[in-house]
Short mmCIF file of all heavy atoms in Angstrom, two decimals:
data_model
loop_
_atom_site.label_atom_id
_atom_site.label_comp_id
_atom_site.label_asym_id
_atom_site.label_seq_id
_atom_site.Cartn_x
_atom_site.Cartn_y
_atom_site.Cartn_z
N GLN X 3 -4.98 -9.57 4.56
CA GLN X 3 -4.12 -8.45 4.89
C GLN X 3 -4.89 -7.37 5.63
O GLN X 3 -4.42 -6.77 6.59
CB GLN X 3 -3.49 -7.86 3.62
CG GLN X 3 -2.49 -8.76 2.91
CD GLN X 3 -1.14 -8.78 3.59
OE1 GLN X 3 -0.63 -9.83 3.95
NE2 GLN X 3 -0.54 -7.61 3.80
N TRP X 4 -6.11 -7.10 5.17
CA TRP X 4 -6.95 -6.07 5.80
C TRP X 4 -7.28 -6.44 7.24
O TRP X 4 -7.21 -5.61 8.15
CB TRP X 4 -8.20 -5.88 4.97
CG TRP X 4 -9.18 -4.89 5.55
CD1 TRP X 4 -10.28 -5.18 6.30
CD2 TRP X 4 -9.16 -3.46 5.39
NE1 TRP X 4 -10.95 -4.04 6.63
CE2 TRP X 4 -10.29 -2.97 6.09
CE3 TRP X 4 -8.31 -2.58 4.74
CZ2 TRP X 4 -10.58 -1.59 6.15
CZ3 TRP X 4 -8.60 -1.21 4.80
CH2 TRP X 4 -9.71 -0.73 5.50
N SER X 5 -7.68 -7.70 7.45
CA SER X 5 -8.10 -8.12 8.79
C SER X 5 -6.90 -8.19 9.75
O SER X 5 -7.06 -7.94 10.95
CB SER X 5 -8.79 -9.49 8.72
OG SER X 5 -7.89 -10.51 8.28
N GLU X 6 -5.72 -8.49 9.23
CA GLU X 6 -4.55 -8.63 10.11
C GLU X 6 -3.78 -7.30 10.32
O GLU X 6 -3.23 -7.08 11.38
CB GLU X 6 -3.59 -9.68 9.55
CG GLU X 6 -4.17 -11.09 9.56
CD GLU X 6 -3.27 -12.09 8.85
OE1 GLU X 6 -2.13 -11.71 8.46
OE2 GLU X 6 -3.69 -13.24 8.69
N HIS X 7 -3.76 -6.45 9.27
CA HIS X 7 -2.91 -5.26 9.36
C HIS X 7 -3.62 -3.95 9.05
O HIS X 7 -3.05 -2.89 9.32
CB HIS X 7 -1.74 -5.40 8.38
CG HIS X 7 -0.88 -6.61 8.61
ND1 HIS X 7 -0.10 -6.74 9.74
CD2 HIS X 7 -0.67 -7.72 7.88
CE1 HIS X 7 0.57 -7.88 9.68
NE2 HIS X 7 0.23 -8.51 8.57
N GLY X 8 -4.82 -4.00 8.45
CA GLY X 8 -5.49 -2.76 8.10
C GLY X 8 -5.06 -2.23 6.75
O GLY X 8 -4.61 -2.99 5.87
N PRO X 9 -5.14 -0.92 6.53
CA PRO X 9 -4.96 -0.36 5.19
C PRO X 9 -3.54 -0.31 4.66
O PRO X 9 -3.36 -0.18 3.45
CB PRO X 9 -5.55 1.08 5.33
CG PRO X 9 -5.41 1.40 6.76
CD PRO X 9 -5.60 0.09 7.50
N VAL X 10 -2.54 -0.39 5.53
CA VAL X 10 -1.13 -0.28 5.08
C VAL X 10 -0.37 -1.46 5.65
O VAL X 10 -0.28 -1.62 6.89
CB VAL X 10 -0.47 1.03 5.54
CG1 VAL X 10 0.93 1.17 4.95
CG2 VAL X 10 -1.33 2.24 5.13
N SER X 11 0.20 -2.31 4.79
CA SER X 11 0.88 -3.48 5.29
C SER X 11 1.98 -3.93 4.36
O SER X 11 1.94 -3.67 3.15
CB SER X 11 -0.12 -4.64 5.46
OG SER X 11 -0.71 -5.01 4.21
N PRO X 12 2.99 -4.60 4.88
CA PRO X 12 4.05 -5.17 4.01
C PRO X 12 3.54 -6.41 3.30
O PRO X 12 2.74 -7.17 3.83
CB PRO X 12 5.15 -5.51 5.00
CG PRO X 12 4.43 -5.80 6.29
CD PRO X 12 3.22 -4.91 6.29
N LEU X 13 4.01 -6.61 2.07
CA LEU X 13 3.58 -7.76 1.28
C LEU X 13 4.71 -8.14 0.32
O LEU X 13 4.93 -7.45 -0.66
CB LEU X 13 2.30 -7.44 0.51
CG LEU X 13 1.69 -8.59 -0.31
CD1 LEU X 13 1.15 -9.65 0.63
CD2 LEU X 13 0.62 -8.08 -1.24
N PRO X 14 5.41 -9.23 0.58
CA PRO X 14 6.50 -9.61 -0.34
C PRO X 14 5.94 -10.21 -1.64
O PRO X 14 5.14 -11.13 -1.62
CB PRO X 14 7.25 -10.68 0.47
CG PRO X 14 6.27 -11.21 1.46
CD PRO X 14 5.30 -10.10 1.75
N LEU X 15 6.34 -9.61 -2.75
CA LEU X 15 5.90 -10.05 -4.08
C LEU X 15 7.07 -10.00 -5.04
O LEU X 15 7.88 -9.09 -5.01
CB LEU X 15 4.80 -9.12 -4.62
CG LEU X 15 3.44 -9.10 -3.93
CD1 LEU X 15 2.59 -7.94 -4.50
CD2 LEU X 15 2.71 -10.42 -4.12
N LEU X 16 7.16 -11.02 -5.91
CA LEU X 16 8.11 -11.01 -7.01
C LEU X 16 9.53 -10.64 -6.57
O LEU X 16 10.25 -9.89 -7.23
CB LEU X 16 7.64 -10.05 -8.12
CG LEU X 16 6.31 -10.41 -8.79
CD1 LEU X 16 5.85 -9.28 -9.67
CD2 LEU X 16 6.46 -11.70 -9.60
N GLY X 17 9.93 -11.15 -5.40
CA GLY X 17 11.30 -10.95 -4.96
C GLY X 17 11.59 -9.64 -4.30
O GLY X 17 12.75 -9.31 -4.05
N HIS X 18 10.54 -8.81 -3.99
CA HIS X 18 10.76 -7.51 -3.36
C HIS X 18 9.81 -7.31 -2.20
O HIS X 18 8.70 -7.85 -2.17
CB HIS X 18 10.52 -6.39 -4.40
CG HIS X 18 11.61 -6.27 -5.41
ND1 HIS X 18 12.79 -5.58 -5.21
CD2 HIS X 18 11.70 -6.77 -6.66
CE1 HIS X 18 13.54 -5.63 -6.27
NE2 HIS X 18 12.93 -6.36 -7.17
N PRO X 19 10.20 -6.49 -1.22
CA PRO X 19 9.32 -6.18 -0.09
C PRO X 19 8.35 -5.05 -0.43
O PRO X 19 8.62 -3.89 -0.15
CB PRO X 19 10.31 -5.77 1.01
CG PRO X 19 11.45 -5.17 0.28
CD PRO X 19 11.55 -5.92 -1.03
N TRP X 20 7.21 -5.37 -1.00
CA TRP X 20 6.22 -4.38 -1.38
C TRP X 20 5.43 -3.91 -0.16
O TRP X 20 5.43 -4.53 0.89
CB TRP X 20 5.24 -4.98 -2.40
CG TRP X 20 5.82 -5.23 -3.75
CD1 TRP X 20 6.82 -6.14 -4.08
CD2 TRP X 20 5.45 -4.61 -4.98
NE1 TRP X 20 7.09 -6.11 -5.42
CE2 TRP X 20 6.27 -5.17 -6.00
CE3 TRP X 20 4.52 -3.65 -5.32
CZ2 TRP X 20 6.15 -4.80 -7.33
CZ3 TRP X 20 4.41 -3.26 -6.65
CH2 TRP X 20 5.22 -3.82 -7.63
N VAL X 21 4.74 -2.79 -0.37
CA VAL X 21 3.74 -2.30 0.59
C VAL X 21 2.38 -2.34 -0.10
O VAL X 21 2.25 -1.89 -1.23
CB VAL X 21 4.05 -0.87 1.07
CG1 VAL X 21 2.93 -0.34 1.95
CG2 VAL X 21 5.38 -0.83 1.82
N LEU X 22 1.38 -2.90 0.59
CA LEU X 22 0.03 -2.99 0.05
C LEU X 22 -0.85 -1.94 0.67
O LEU X 22 -0.88 -1.78 1.90
CB LEU X 22 -0.55 -4.39 0.31
CG LEU X 22 -1.99 -4.63 -0.12
CD1 LEU X 22 -2.14 -4.56 -1.63
CD2 LEU X 22 -2.50 -5.97 0.41
N LEU X 23 -1.56 -1.19 -0.17
CA LEU X 23 -2.51 -0.18 0.30
C LEU X 23 -3.93 -0.64 -0.04
O LEU X 23 -4.24 -0.93 -1.20
CB LEU X 23 -2.23 1.18 -0.37
CG LEU X 23 -0.85 1.78 -0.13
CD1 LEU X 23 -0.76 3.15 -0.79
CD2 LEU X 23 -0.51 1.87 1.34
N LEU X 24 -4.77 -0.69 1.00
CA LEU X 24 -6.16 -1.16 0.86
C LEU X 24 -7.11 -0.11 1.42
O LEU X 24 -6.80 0.59 2.38
CB LEU X 24 -6.35 -2.47 1.63
CG LEU X 24 -5.56 -3.69 1.13
CD1 LEU X 24 -5.72 -4.85 2.11
CD2 LEU X 24 -6.02 -4.10 -0.26
N GLY X 25 -8.28 -0.04 0.82
CA GLY X 25 -9.29 0.89 1.30
C GLY X 25 -9.18 2.24 0.59
O GLY X 25 -8.10 2.63 0.14
N PRO X 26 -10.30 2.97 0.51
CA PRO X 26 -10.30 4.22 -0.27
C PRO X 26 -9.40 5.30 0.30
O PRO X 26 -8.85 6.11 -0.47
CB PRO X 26 -11.77 4.64 -0.26
CG PRO X 26 -12.39 3.91 0.89
CD PRO X 26 -11.63 2.63 1.02
N ASP X 27 -9.21 5.35 1.61
CA ASP X 27 -8.33 6.40 2.17
C ASP X 27 -6.88 6.16 1.77
O ASP X 27 -6.19 7.09 1.32
CB ASP X 27 -8.45 6.42 3.70
CG ASP X 27 -9.80 6.95 4.17
OD1 ASP X 27 -10.24 8.00 3.63
OD2 ASP X 27 -10.41 6.32 5.06
N ALA X 28 -6.39 4.95 1.93
CA ALA X 28 -5.00 4.66 1.59
C ALA X 28 -4.77 4.74 0.09
O ALA X 28 -3.78 5.32 -0.37
CB ALA X 28 -4.62 3.28 2.12
N CYS X 29 -5.68 4.15 -0.69
CA CYS X 29 -5.53 4.18 -2.15
C CYS X 29 -5.60 5.63 -2.66
O CYS X 29 -4.82 6.04 -3.52
CB CYS X 29 -6.61 3.35 -2.82
SG CYS X 29 -6.44 1.57 -2.56
N GLY X 30 -6.53 6.40 -2.13
CA GLY X 30 -6.65 7.79 -2.54
C GLY X 30 -5.40 8.59 -2.22
O GLY X 30 -4.98 9.43 -3.03
N ALA X 31 -4.80 8.33 -1.07
CA ALA X 31 -3.57 9.06 -0.70
C ALA X 31 -2.47 8.83 -1.72
O ALA X 31 -1.75 9.76 -2.09
CB ALA X 31 -3.14 8.63 0.70
N ALA X 32 -2.32 7.58 -2.16
CA ALA X 32 -1.23 7.29 -3.12
C ALA X 32 -1.53 7.82 -4.51
O ALA X 32 -0.67 8.35 -5.19
CB ALA X 32 -0.98 5.77 -3.16
N LEU X 33 -2.79 7.67 -4.95
CA LEU X 33 -3.12 8.06 -6.33
C LEU X 33 -3.23 9.57 -6.50
O LEU X 33 -2.89 10.09 -7.57
CB LEU X 33 -4.41 7.37 -6.76
CG LEU X 33 -4.35 5.83 -6.80
CD1 LEU X 33 -5.65 5.27 -7.36
CD2 LEU X 33 -3.17 5.33 -7.62
N THR X 34 -3.70 10.27 -5.50
CA THR X 34 -3.70 11.74 -5.61
C THR X 34 -2.33 12.32 -5.34
O THR X 34 -2.01 13.39 -5.82
CB THR X 34 -4.72 12.34 -4.64
OG1 THR X 34 -4.45 11.89 -3.31
CG2 THR X 34 -6.14 11.97 -5.04
N ASN X 35 -1.51 11.60 -4.54
CA ASN X 35 -0.06 11.86 -4.46
C ASN X 35 0.26 13.32 -4.11
O ASN X 35 1.01 14.00 -4.81
CB ASN X 35 0.60 11.48 -5.78
CG ASN X 35 2.10 11.26 -5.68
OD1 ASN X 35 2.66 11.13 -4.58
ND2 ASN X 35 2.78 11.25 -6.82
N GLY X 36 -0.33 13.79 -3.01
CA GLY X 36 -0.18 15.18 -2.66
C GLY X 36 1.25 15.64 -2.41
O GLY X 36 1.61 16.77 -2.72
N ASP X 37 2.08 14.77 -1.83
CA ASP X 37 3.46 15.16 -1.53
C ASP X 37 4.46 14.67 -2.60
O ASP X 37 5.67 14.76 -2.39
CB ASP X 37 3.88 14.67 -0.16
CG ASP X 37 3.91 13.15 -0.05
OD1 ASP X 37 3.43 12.48 -1.00
OD2 ASP X 37 4.38 12.63 0.97
N LYS X 38 3.92 14.18 -3.75
CA LYS X 38 4.76 13.72 -4.86
C LYS X 38 5.81 12.70 -4.43
O LYS X 38 6.93 12.70 -4.91
CB LYS X 38 5.43 14.92 -5.56
CG LYS X 38 4.41 15.85 -6.27
CD LYS X 38 5.13 16.97 -7.00
CE LYS X 38 4.17 17.74 -7.91
NZ LYS X 38 2.98 18.25 -7.21
N ALA X 39 5.38 11.81 -3.56
CA ALA X 39 6.29 10.76 -3.10
C ALA X 39 6.16 9.49 -3.91
O ALA X 39 7.06 8.63 -3.87
CB ALA X 39 6.01 10.46 -1.61
N PHE X 40 5.06 9.34 -4.66
CA PHE X 40 4.78 8.10 -5.38
C PHE X 40 5.02 8.32 -6.88
O PHE X 40 4.41 9.22 -7.48
CB PHE X 40 3.36 7.63 -5.14
CG PHE X 40 3.04 7.29 -3.72
CD1 PHE X 40 2.51 8.22 -2.86
CD2 PHE X 40 3.31 6.01 -3.23
CE1 PHE X 40 2.23 7.91 -1.55
CE2 PHE X 40 3.03 5.67 -1.92
CZ PHE X 40 2.49 6.63 -1.07
N ALA X 41 5.84 7.50 -7.46
CA ALA X 41 6.15 7.62 -8.89
C ALA X 41 5.66 6.38 -9.64
O ALA X 41 5.74 5.25 -9.13
CB ALA X 41 7.65 7.79 -9.11
#
């Protein structure tokens, strides 16, 4: 996923269209959740 799409990419899992976040910048953005978009 990283080599083909980079840090943000679609990934179908368990019957849903998930988004995969890779690398410290993308993971940090979601976990620190500055705009309170991630629950």
Side-chain angles (χ1 to χ4, degrees):
Q3 291 284 124
W4 177 263
S5 64
E6 294 174 7
H7 301 293
V10 185
S11 62
L13 183 69
L15 293 170
L16 296 171
H18 287 277
W20 290 65
V21 174
L22 176 66
L23 301 183
L24 295 172
D27 290 314
C29 292
L33 297 184
T34 55
N35 199 15
D37 64 351
K38 293 183 170 54
F40 296 93

